[in-house]
Amino acid sequence: MREKKSHLYLDSHERRLLLHSLVELKNQLIQQGRYTDCVDELIFKVTTASVKKVKVI
């Protein structure tokens, strides 16, 4: 069975806030000596995601 995909639409401010929060989480995990693989994947996905212009009515 295929995994269900979810789409997240963010403006530039929300995207910047999301990246900042993920980096903070990664730093906390490093300080605790835990793995950061999942957070690294999310940071990569957010930074490489295509930007689409959406008209909001």
Side-chain angles (χ1 to χ4, degrees), residues 1-5:
M1 186 172 179
R2 297 173 84 187
E3 290 184 23
K4 183 178 178 183
K5 289 190 176 184

Side-chain angles (χ1 to χ4, degrees), residues 5-45:
K5 289 190 176 184
S6 299
H7 296 275
L8 187 63
Y9 296 98
L10 305 171
D11 62 15
S12 62
H13 176 30
E14 293 169 334
R15 184 176 176 175
R16 186 172 40 245
L17 184 62
L18 176 62
L19 282 171
H20 180 70
S21 299
L22 287 172
V23 170
E24 291 269 328
L25 176 61
K26 181 179 176 179
N27 290 337
Q28 289 176 1
L29 291 174
I30 289 172
Q31 287 178 350
Q32 295 173 4
R34 297 171 63 190
Y35 293 108
T36 61
D37 297 341
C38 294
V39 179
D40 291 335
E41 287 180 30
L42 283 174
I43 291 172
F44 180 75
K45 285 183 179 183

Side-chain angles (χ1 to χ4, degrees), residues 7-10 15 44-54:
H7 296 275
L8 187 63
Y9 296 98
L10 305 171
R15 184 176 176 175
F44 180 75
K45 285 183 179 183
V46 170
T47 55
T48 60
S50 62
V51 177
K52 294 184 180 181
K53 292 188 178 186
V54 177

